[in-house]
Amino acid sequence: MKTTSHQERILVVGGGGFVGANLTRKLIGLGYEVHLIWKLSSNPWRLNDIKKQIKFHIVDIQNKKKLTTLIKKIYPVAIFHLASHNAYRNQEDIEKIINVSINGTLNLLLASKDIPYKVFVNTGSSSEYGFKRKPMKESDFLEPISFYAAAKAGQTFLCQAFAFQYNKPIVTLRPFSVYGQYEQNDRFIPTIIRAVIEKKPINLTGGKQRRDFIYIDDMVNAYIKLLKHGKKLKGRILNIGTGKQYTNDEVVKALFKVTGQSVPINKGEFPKRIWDSPHWVADISKAKKLLNWTPAYSLEKGLTKTYNWFTKTQ
């Protein structure tokens, strides 16, 4: 483990969420001094066991004055921005979605503008693309179909413009369907894992909706690589997925295979959502080339690690 100094402070915004918590744990393991901007209403359950190793700051990212004072005090070498509002539900809460993604992001960018950080990593979303019939490329025209996706697209453009306007090393990662330890229980993969553990039926949609599922450790590794490569990737957008897509049925069958267990499947019992699509897969050629990154986990390997984690925590 490396020994940190005053210059090795990292700021994580949204560090209490699924991806943010895993990233925070990794950064602490690497020896960085990690500072989290925290909402008072947040539940720190993902970080409870390591709270003493983290420096928490209760500041609303919509309060630009307090945010600026805090960031100047921390003086981070890197900023990881993962804050968002309701990615998966309550899509009608438009004002909060926009306020966090647009106003909150702008405040973060302005508050840190004079900090000579190595990289500012913005977290976008594959939902920015909308429906495509081929692997999604960073150069594709964006066609968001939800308020969250539209806000994320605006957030990405804002970061890109800021990078070029002020010559700042700001990079956007567009995650696809991330899964793994510490994911919330009502998401798809935790739901089917708990069903297997509890010997309960699994309800699936009736169609052939597909997703590019990427294991959390691969996602975190992409963030970590930007600590080294971020300066040369100013304004870039990089897809983070596997380049492979699976139906829900295929994911369930893979889970049955790696666990050696099975439960009944109720096809068509789970309602299709407006953002479900028969094609949803990343073109990851740019991340491979520019970030020297490639996913290390197959679906079966990632499901095995996730299942083992859930069996220990249930």
Side-chain angles (χ1 to χ4, degrees):
M1 183 182 293
K2 70 164 72 171
T3 302
T4 57
S5 66
H6 176 78
Q7 289 74 34
E8 293 176 316
R9 296 174 175 176
I10 291 183
L11 176 62
V12 181
V13 186
F18 163 45
V19 177
N22 277 278
L23 174 60
T24 296
R25 287 175 171 275
K26 181 69 173 182
L27 290 167
I28 288 173
L30 291 172
Y32 289 100
E33 182 180 309
V34 181
H35 294 251
L36 261 59
I37 286 182
W38 194 256
K39 285 193 304 184
L40 192 58
S41 60
S42 296
N43 182 347
W45 68 271
R46 294 181 175 94
L47 301 170
N48 274 338
D49 60 316
I50 58 168
K51 282 196 296 185
K52 292 182 180 179
Q53 300 177 59
I54 303 167
K55 298 187 182 298
F56 292 89
H57 305 275
I58 300 173
V59 175
D60 189 339
I61 62 171
Q62 294 180 60
N63 188 324
K64 187 169 63 176
K65 184 177 180 180
K66 287 185 177 180
L67 194 61
T68 302
T69 300
L70 174 65
I71 292 177
K72 286 182 178 179
K73 181 180 178 181
I74 297 171
Y75 213 75
V77 299
I79 298 172
F80 293 102
H81 176 26
L82 299 98
S84 65
H85 180 77
N86 291 331
Y88 306 115
R89 55 187 60 82
N90 297 332
Q91 290 287 310
E92 295 299 323
D93 200 356
I94 307 171
E95 286 190 21
K96 284 188 177 179
I97 292 171
I98 297 298
N99 283 340
V100 172
S101 286
I102 304 300
N103 299 335
T105 298
L106 178 59
N107 286 342
L108 276 171
L109 292 167
L110 289 171
S112 61
K113 185 166 75 74
D114 296 328
I115 304 292
Y117 47 70
K118 293 179 181 177
V119 67
F120 180 116
V121 185
N122 172 56
T123 305
S125 170
S126 63
S127 64
E128 297 173 48
Y129 290 114
F131 296 146
K132 306 296 181 191
R133 296 187 177 183
K134 57 180 179 57
M136 298 172 181
K137 290 186 176 183
E138 293 86 348
S139 58
D140 283 348
F141 184 71
L142 302 185
E143 300 175 285
I145 59 168
S146 70
F147 296 122
Y148 171 79
K152 277 293 185 182
Q155 178 179 325
T156 296
F157 285 137
L158 179 61
C159 287
Q160 196 173 41
F162 204 94
F164 291 118
Q165 184 76 28
Y166 296 108
N167 193 31
K168 301 291 287 182
I170 301 167
V171 184
T172 292
L173 296 185
R174 276 193 184 134
F176 277 65
S177 295
V178 188
Y179 70 96
Q181 60 273 11
Y182 297 102
E183 189 175 8
Q184 62 196 64
N185 275 338
D186 60 351
R187 298 285 290 145
F188 172 60
I189 287 181
T191 297
I192 64 175
I193 286 176
R194 286 188 297 106
V196 168
I197 293 172
E198 298 167 8
K199 306 297 182 187
K200 294 180 178 179
I202 293 173
N203 296 329
L204 295 180
T205 57
K208 294 289 183 181
Q209 293 80 23
R210 290 177 173 84
R211 287 275 164 172
D212 185 336
F213 293 93
I214 179 165
Y215 182 57
I216 183 63
D217 286 7
D218 283 328
M219 183 72 227
V220 168
N221 188 37
Y223 282 102
I224 298 302
K225 278 193 172 284
L226 281 169
L227 288 170
K228 178 181 179 181
H229 299 287
K231 277 192 176 293
K232 65 181 182 182
L233 297 176
K234 178 188 70 177
R236 292 282 192 172
I237 301 166
L238 301 174
N239 287 337
I240 304 297
T242 65
K244 298 178 181 178
Q245 57 183 337
Y246 299 91
T247 64
N248 289 348
D249 306 58
E250 289 169 338
V251 176
V252 170
K253 288 177 181 176
L255 178 63
F256 289 171
K257 180 180 177 181
V258 301
T259 61
Q261 302 179 62
S262 64
V263 295
I265 297 173
N266 297 325
K267 191 81 171 170
E269 287 297 311
F270 192 89
K272 182 178 180 292
R273 301 160 304 178
I274 62 166
W275 50 81
D276 287 331
S277 169
H279 300 284
W280 205 284
V281 62
D283 179 325
I284 57 173
S285 56
K286 188 174 287 189
K288 286 181 176 180
K289 179 182 178 182
L290 299 178
L291 199 55
N292 191 28
W293 170 93
T294 189
Y297 287 85
S298 65
L299 178 64
E300 290 184 358
K301 186 179 176 183
L303 285 174
T304 299
K305 287 202 69 174
T306 307
Y307 176 80
N308 290 340
W309 183 84
F310 270 92
T311 57
K312 293 175 183 176
T313 57
Q314 290 299 300

